[in-house]
Amino acid sequence: MLKDITLGQYFPGKSPVHQLDPRTKLIVLVGYIVALFVAKSWASYALCFGFLAVSIAISTIPVKSIVRGMKPLVLILVFTGVLNLFFTGGETVLVHFWIITITLEGVVRAVFMVVRILMLISATFLLTYTTSPISLTDGLESLLSPLKKLHVPVHELSMMMCIALRFIPTLIEETDKIMSAQKARGADFETGKLMDRVKALIPILVPLFISAFRRADELATAMECRCYQGGEGRTKMKLLRYKRWDMYAFAAGALLVAAVITLASFGL
Amino acid sequence: MTPVLEVKNLCHVYSVGTPFEHTALSDVSFCAHRGEYIGVIGHTGSGKSTLMQHLNGLLKPTSGEVLLDGKSIWADKASTRQARFRVGLVFQYPEYQLFEETVYKDIAFGPGNMGLSKEEIDRRVREAAGFVGLSESLLEVSPFDLSGGQKRRVAIAGVIAMEPEILILDEPTAGLDPSGREDILSNIDAYRQAKNATIMMVSHSMNDVAKMADRLLVMRDSLLAMDGTPEEVFRRASELVEMGLDIPEVTRVFLKLRSLGLDVPMVYTKEQAVKTLTALKGGVPNA
């Protein structure tokens, strides 16, 4: 069951979206998010949606996997929708019952907010689904490299992120294994009062922490054996280079942002 | 004699309906009697571990049944829970599941979950520690201060303390030195003889299973390929090799002797080999 978590998982593929430079994807994603937050009308939303739909279509990632990734976020979506539905004032009252008032504006706003979050998350999923953690951190490091002048340890930060991402699936697998082993000894995680359930976690957490530290130790040794010393003077085997598709992606992203801003300035 | 454990047409498919769908078990059936020592061999990924996790109800079969004393372990919640205690499962590298402050408390975790009285838990912990050869003085030590082999024994004792009728071990000797292997194997056999328990041992060491088991199950690509005595199984040496498995080293030596024209029977363990060879020399085995 833990294995079903797909958050931040990479689906290897050969589509143009997969082959884009990670920096392109990051920058275009930022542009897309800006457009999404500037968008105020259905027309601009439709533009953003079109952009997203085309990207997903090109990426050949099945829509099903993106929807499946949304499952853990249903609560946030419902919460946002309900809050906006009930607490938006407006002229046209649709339902008035006791202290609950639902206005037309509220309904519109709730739908807007939920759609916005959905589109935001789908796009970030598309990024992590089509970009391996390594190239993602590579791109991030390269984008943040100007900060090196301010003595920000950019390389170290990106290496930490890379390692953290790399070990998420490993730790999930480990947790699964330890849970099974303790269940085999009669541990019960599903029933009991809250306190009992919290206590039931100890037999999982202790071995998990120990193995995480053991792994960290081993990894540190392995890295030192290969003379890892941090970012100073380190060269890359795979240099990031913009290609033709990157130009298309930048152009499309810029067009989207420009269009949405223009629409917004006309009050649409 | 009715079997204590019966597996009927067991199938298991992982991640149904996703691109990662994968059949791990298809139509596996066998039964196990009390006191039997069953070795389970098979190539990596042949479904051995999946099979083992079905026997105590950790995994639910996609189709098929697991019966304990003729009753399905999925019949109701109580039966499933009972199955956890009646079928003890020792995972691969079990030492990584230790978590308590002392060895005593860790071994007591299983019996404690069974809701036994304090005296009974105490008796079981001491007995289990005895089976795996842990001295009394070690019981109050932190399990994390022990050596690898000792940790492994503590973890096995933690399962033995539940006094399961069927004890399943997934590669209990992996990563141990030769004397550690010998110790663990004899510990397991001591438990079997004392409690008339059924043992199922997954192993990649043909020498170990040949020596210990009186029956072998061979898994291949999610199917149960062979089920028989070590003699019957190792007789099909060429099939085993084709599956990426092996035959015990002594068996290979004796097969070669036969092909060289020496009239010797098939032999699977060192002890048998010594006997056969001394008999050939016309002497009497002295050990």
Side-chain angles (χ1 to χ4, degrees):
Chain A
M1 70 197 155
L2 278 171
K3 280 187 191 135
D4 296 338
I5 298 175
T6 53
L7 201 74
Q9 208 179 54
Y10 171 53
F11 283 84
K14 288 226 172 315
S15 77
V17 180
H18 282 87
Q19 284 169 7
L20 281 182
D21 191 295
R23 290 172 297 178
T24 313
K25 284 189 256 191
L26 281 165
I27 294 170
V28 172
L29 180 68
V30 171
Y32 168 84
I33 292 173
V34 169
L36 205 53
F37 279 87
V38 171
K40 291 212 166 49
S41 65
W42 291 114
S44 20
Y45 262 64
L47 275 179
C48 291
F49 182 79
F51 185 78
L52 178 68
V54 170
S55 311
I56 292 177
I58 297 177
S59 74
T60 64
I61 296 281
V63 178
K64 223 166 58 180
S65 359
I66 293 180
V67 172
R68 195 159 351 108
M70 300 273 183
K71 266 186 200 155
L73 303 158
V74 166
L75 201 69
I76 299 176
L77 288 174
V78 171
F79 194 66
T80 316
V82 169
L83 273 189
N84 280 292
L85 189 61
F86 290 137
F87 295 101
T88 311
E91 307 285 301
T92 11
V93 175
L94 293 181
V95 183
H96 186 79
F97 170 71
W98 189 40
I99 53 164
I100 297 166
T101 318
I102 296 177
T103 62
L104 185 63
E105 287 81 355
V107 174
V108 171
R109 206 183 146 88
V111 174
F112 251 67
M113 290 308 279
V114 170
V115 169
R116 176 181 286 174
I117 294 176
L118 277 175
M119 278 162 66
L120 184 77
I121 296 167
S122 317
T124 43
F125 273 162
L126 190 63
L127 175 73
T128 54
Y129 281 170
T130 59
T131 321
S132 75
I134 291 176
S135 66
L136 195 61
T137 44
D138 230 19
L140 211 58
E141 183 182 349
S142 153
L143 283 177
L144 294 178
S145 57
L147 291 176
K148 274 187 194 155
K149 298 231 163 61
L150 302 171
H151 297 290
V152 178
V154 175
H155 170 78
E156 282 71 13
L157 285 175
S158 77
M159 180 57 91
M160 277 157 68
M161 208 175 104
C162 185
I163 291 172
L165 284 172
R166 155 68 184 77
F167 278 95
I168 288 174
T170 312
L171 285 180
I172 288 176
E173 214 170 275
E174 186 97 12
T175 314
D176 239 10
K177 229 193 251 165
I178 295 171
M179 272 178 93
S180 305
Q182 306 299 24
K183 272 195 206 157
R185 294 209 277 167
D188 184 4
F189 307 116
E190 276 115 35
T191 54
K193 295 197 194 88
L194 186 65
M195 261 326 271
D196 294 336
R197 285 199 203 193
V198 172
K199 271 192 199 147
L201 287 179
I202 295 174
I204 301 175
L205 291 179
V206 173
L208 191 63
F209 270 102
I210 290 171
S211 84
F213 282 120
R214 184 171 43 84
R215 263 180 219 289
D217 243 10
E218 281 169 6
L219 184 68
T221 314
M223 284 167 84
E224 257 176 47
C225 285
R226 290 186 244 172
C227 305
Y228 178 77
Q229 290 189 326
E232 209 60 48
R234 192 175 163 82
T235 54
K236 294 224 186 282
M237 184 171 147
K238 284 184 184 160
L239 281 175
L240 293 175
R241 263 197 208 97
Y242 291 116
K243 295 195 194 83
R244 200 154 47 104
W245 271 93
D246 294 293
M247 295 307 135
Y248 298 156
F250 275 129
L255 216 61
L256 174 75
V257 177
V260 170
I261 290 178
T262 317
L263 279 173
S265 67
F266 284 112
L268 273 170
Chain B
M1 196 163 73
T2 48
V4 57
L5 175 77
E6 217 179 333
V7 173
K8 277 190 188 161
N9 310 97
L10 198 65
C11 296
H12 191 85
V13 185
Y14 281 113
S15 315
V16 183
T18 70
F20 306 108
E21 188 171 305
H22 162 69
T23 306
L25 287 178
S26 40
D27 202 21
V28 172
S29 306
F30 68 91
C31 29
H33 297 274
R34 281 216 79 139
E36 252 186 322
Y37 200 132
I38 304 175
V40 183
I41 55 178
H43 202 253
T44 312
S46 59
K48 295 171 303 208
S49 296
T50 309
L51 175 62
M52 298 301 121
Q53 289 184 52
H54 276 92
L55 303 183
N56 73 343
L58 276 178
L59 288 177
K60 196 167 184 170
T62 309
S63 70
E65 275 185 312
V66 178
L67 308 174
L68 265 183
D69 282 337
K71 196 177 166 207
S72 166
I73 62 169
W74 289 100
D76 49 63
K77 269 210 163 137
S79 322
T80 314
R81 200 157 166 72
Q82 271 307 309
R84 295 273 161 84
F85 300 129
R86 294 185 54 192
V87 182
L89 178 54
V90 180
F91 276 83
Q92 235 171 62
Y93 296 103
E95 55 271 31
Y96 294 142
Q97 75 195 28
L98 302 176
F99 68 99
E100 277 287 10
E101 296 149 51
T102 66
V103 169
Y104 183 96
K105 281 192 192 168
D106 211 291
I107 300 178
F109 180 66
N113 285 328
M114 297 169 81
L116 300 169
S117 71
K118 233 178 165 165
E119 295 74 37
E120 177 65 11
I121 293 178
D122 187 69
R123 181 190 71 75
R124 287 187 174 205
V125 170
R126 287 177 199 283
E127 203 183 31
F131 274 125
V132 298
L134 289 168
S135 62
E136 288 272 324
S137 62
L138 284 178
L139 287 179
E140 294 310 317
V141 175
S142 160
F144 302 110
D145 292 337
L146 300 177
S147 73
Q150 284 172 322
K151 278 188 200 169
R152 175 87 46 102
R153 284 191 231 165
V154 172
I156 294 178
V159 175
I160 284 184
M162 304 195 302
E163 301 194 345
E165 295 152 54
I166 302 164
L167 180 63
I168 304 173
L169 303 110
D170 196 347
E171 290 194 59
T173 57
L176 292 184
D177 57 42
S179 76
R181 298 172 84 99
E182 289 291 321
D183 286 348
I184 294 234
L185 290 178
S186 63
N187 295 156
I188 294 166
D189 205 47
Y191 176 73
R192 173 176 80 118
Q193 283 173 6
K195 304 281 174 192
N196 189 26
T198 309
I199 308 286
M200 287 185 79
M201 180 171 75
V202 175
S203 181
H204 282 300
S205 160
M206 298 302 137
N207 296 332
D208 286 357
V209 287
K211 188 167 130 199
M212 308 304 300
D214 37 48
R215 188 172 146 204
L216 287 182
L217 301 180
V218 184
M219 295 290 298
R220 179 191 202 178
D221 298 335
S222 81
L223 290 163
L224 182 61
M226 299 182 203
D227 177 357
T229 62
E231 200 165 342
E232 288 163 2
V233 170
F234 289 132
R235 202 174 282 279
R236 297 158 74 177
S238 59
E239 279 175 72
L240 287 175
V241 172
E242 192 197 317
M243 286 180 200
L245 295 172
D246 207 350
I247 47 176
E249 282 153 19
V250 270
T251 312
R252 216 175 315 146
V253 171
F254 273 72
L255 274 177
K256 186 78 186 169
L257 283 178
R258 270 159 73 125
S259 74
L260 288 175
L262 193 63
D263 183 28
V264 283
M266 288 280 276
V267 153
Y268 312 100
T269 66
K270 261 185 266 169
E271 289 72 20
Q272 286 175 343
V274 170
K275 234 197 238 162
T276 323
L277 289 181
T278 12
L280 262 182
K281 269 168 59 186
V284 184
N286 54 0

